[in-house]
Amino acid sequence: MRARFLWIPMLIVALVALPACGGGDGGTLKIAILAPLSGDVATFGESTRDGAMMAIDEWNADGGVLGKQIETVVEDSQCNAEAAVSAANKVIDQDGVKFIIGEVCSSASIPVSEVAMAKGVLQMSPTSTNPSVTVDEFGKTKGLIFRACFIDPFQGTVAAKFALDNLGVKTAAVLLDQGNDYVRGLAEYFRDAFEAGGGQVVVWETYTGEDQDFSAILTKVKDAAPDILYLPDYYSTVNLIAAQAREKGVTAVMMGGDGWDSPDLDTSVVEGGYHTNHYSADDPRPEVQDFVSKYQEKYGAVPDALATLAYDATNILLLAMEEAGSTDPAAVAKALEDMSFDVVSGNITYDELHNPIKSAVILHIQDGKAVYMDTIAP
Ligand code: PHE
């Protein structure tokens, strides 16, 4: 008699649980996107979100991943360590996410990687280029952390070699935000490669993320009259420094890194300059041109490197899940390590530090546009 009554609560539990795992269709899988959607580098976040969402929409239209529809949780992590850590904790603890796409900025991705490792969550940064994102202070690879981009020792070397060999320059001034992992790292890698190749760094000056007035350090640049002025910061800061440099009469050719990639880069003040990047929309490869037209149709804009790498990062992650046949982060990490991916920004195979070996492109700011110049293989 008693056993018959037990059926009733069990039936209720089963009926409540069924819709939560999506009935017969395999349920849903939550993925978080952490990106700066407000503040100084908001275009980075918008492009990242749009690129990742485009990939997810395509997978969902195609039946999802492992039969599950993908649900996204998007958080504004502001390209900043504190905001990114609380966003990571929120999506993991409250939303129950086991996979994070993001952050964009290395200074945010590095602390997020620590949260992800401690909580057994897989992180895939589309665009954070500092080595410390995937490797800890003892040189050990963080098992659940991956990226879809090359790293800054390569990016800095490409810029230095291009300046020395293609532009034939001999001297450089380097200005850097010492408190920003990406900026400081890229400045140092550039300097090391520039000097190793016979160039001379004649000005090396630091500023902080709060500075607005760069006249004191720009006076030093003006007096040293270097051939190039290397500005390895994000577009918003580059806009400020470059405008003040021009006002002061600095005539050096300006150069920078992927941080220049934004529709809001003030091309009037960096006209004639060069920057390294992950990809160019002018690349004639059919994978690139197909993606550019699909993206343009959906969003009405040409995808920048952030959109493209977020699209690639999302596809890589989902392909690895399919291959692993599992949504267990450790199993997906193992699949990522073993696979090779042909995506829009090139081929991605992971080395033992979870870094893809990929080419960089050089873009030239000409008549207000970033024009494709060259592709440099590792
Ligand atoms: N590489 C930058 C970082 O690590 C982020 C970035 C990538 C910015 C691509 C613009 C374009 O902080």
Side-chain angles (χ1 to χ4, degrees), residues 260-263 265-268 270-275 280 282 302 362-373:
W260 284 31
D261 188 11
S262 170
L265 176 71
D266 183 353
T267 51
S268 71
V270 293
E271 177 65 26
Y274 298 86
H275 76 101
S280 163
D282 297 335
V302 175
I362 308 270
L363 303 177
H364 187 199
I365 311 296
Q366 261 177 315
D367 302 322
K369 284 207 188 82
V371 179
Y372 171 75
M373 291 265 312

Side-chain angles (χ1 to χ4, degrees), residues 93-114:
D93 299 339
Q94 290 175 38
D95 301 308
V97 153
K98 288 191 289 176
F99 297 92
I100 292 175
I101 294 169
E103 231 259 6
V104 171
C105 300
S106 294
S107 308
S109 283
I110 294 167
V112 166
S113 74
E114 280 149 23

Side-chain angles (χ1 to χ4, degrees), residues 44 79 104-107 127-130 133 149 152 155 180 182-183 234 257-261 277-278 305-306:
F44 290 171
C79 196
V104 171
C105 300
S106 294
S107 308
T127 40
S128 288
T129 43
N130 187 279
V133 173
C149 53
D152 287 332
Q155 176 165 215
N180 182 307
Y182 160 71
V183 179
Y234 302 129
D258 51 353
W260 284 31
D261 188 11
N277 208 352
H278 304 270
L306 294 126

Side-chain angles (χ1 to χ4, degrees), residues 60 66 122 174 281 370:
N60 278 341
L66 299 169
L122 192 148
V174 180

Side-chain angles (χ1 to χ4, degrees), residues 33-38 41-56 74-76 101-104 126-127 235 258-265 277-279 291 295 298-314:
I33 301 170
L34 304 189
L37 293 162
S38 63
V41 291
T43 73
F44 290 171
E46 290 154 10
S47 293
T48 300
R49 177 200 58 207
D50 291 351
M53 286 308 299
M54 184 165 145
I56 288 169
V74 182
E75 290 292 328
D76 178 9
I101 294 169
E103 231 259 6
V104 171
T127 40
Y235 66 92
D258 51 353
W260 284 31
D261 188 11
S262 170
D264 291 349
L265 176 71
N277 208 352
H278 304 270
Y279 129 105
F291 170 70
Y295 188 94
K298 190 169 167 90
Y299 297 114
V302 175
D304 55 20
L306 294 126
T308 306
L309 267 79
Y311 181 78
D312 284 351
T314 309

